[in-house]
Amino acid sequence: IERTFSMIKPDATKRNLTGAIVARFEAAGLRVVASKRLWLSLRQAQAFYAVHAARPFYGELTEFMSSGPIVAQVLEGEGAILKNREVMGATNPANAAEGTIRKDFALSIGENSVHGSDAPETAAEEIAFFFSGLEIVG
Ligand code: GTP
Ligand code: MG
């Protein structure tokens, strides 16, 4: 059984959409096996998104991700990484399929409501960034 890392972004927590987003994961067969609400500092957001440091949107992305509360989660299920990305939809909500979280809730390519790991290696790294083994209860 696979695990992936998910984050509900500040645009969504500010609009009180946490429960609506978690319900989408659960309806898709993903189980929340760890969860915590945090407000990242700019330095923590920069560390989490270090892989994007060379991208032109890095400053905007890290300022946004430290602009309000986030909910960090570990999701578990068969093919969880791919399934989560399907439920999230395309990065830009303008390109996201009907019924996806980003189609229904995202405001823009930057304020796009959710993050999800893109591969097994990044899932393991991102889970370890936020959670200790004791905090993950399958
Ligand atoms: P994540 O699940 O968040 O990693 O999304 P992704 O894999 O679909 O997108 P990618 O890894 O390419 O980009 C990471 C994040 O950077 C996106 O989710 C957006 O929030 C942000 N981002 C990507 N492109 C842009 C952009 O052109 N402008 C801004 N402001 N943010 C962007
Ligand atoms: Mg990505």
Side-chain angles (χ1 to χ4, degrees):
I1 199 105
E2 193 170 65
R3 287 177 174 171
T4 190
F5 177 73
S6 162
M7 191 157 41
I8 302 175
K9 297 188 177 185
D11 67 284
T13 61
K14 279 179 189 159
R15 287 177 291 147
N16 208 21
L17 293 169
T18 298
I21 289 172
V22 171
R24 302 289 183 101
F25 298 141
E26 293 181 340
L30 294 164
R31 181 174 292 270
V32 180
V33 295
S35 177
K36 57 186 165 193
R37 182 176 168 102
L38 299 167
W39 192 318
L40 299 178
S41 66
L42 180 60
R43 291 177 67 93
Q44 288 170 330
Q46 287 168 339
F48 180 77
Y49 280 112
V51 290
H52 293 316
R55 305 264 212 119
F57 55 81
Y58 182 65
E60 206 179 318
L61 171 63
T62 54
E63 277 167 37
F64 165 60
M65 291 302 296
S66 56
S67 70
I70 60 96
V71 179
Q73 303 163 101
V74 179
L75 305 179
E76 185 178 85
E78 295 294 339
I81 294 169
L82 196 61
K83 187 176 281 184
N84 180 40
R85 291 185 69 86
E86 286 170 4
V87 173
M88 286 169 34
T91 309
N92 186 343
N95 303 326
E98 292 296 328
T100 61
I101 291 169
R102 284 167 168 167
K103 174 71 177 184
D104 292 343
F105 300 132
L107 301 174
S108 66
I109 190 171
E111 301 197 16
N112 62 358
S113 303
V114 281
H115 163 84
S117 307
D118 56 14
E121 303 73 43
T122 47
E125 281 174 21
E126 292 173 0
I127 289 169
F129 186 93
F130 280 95
F131 294 100
S132 73
L134 282 172
E135 294 175 310
I136 304 169
V137 182

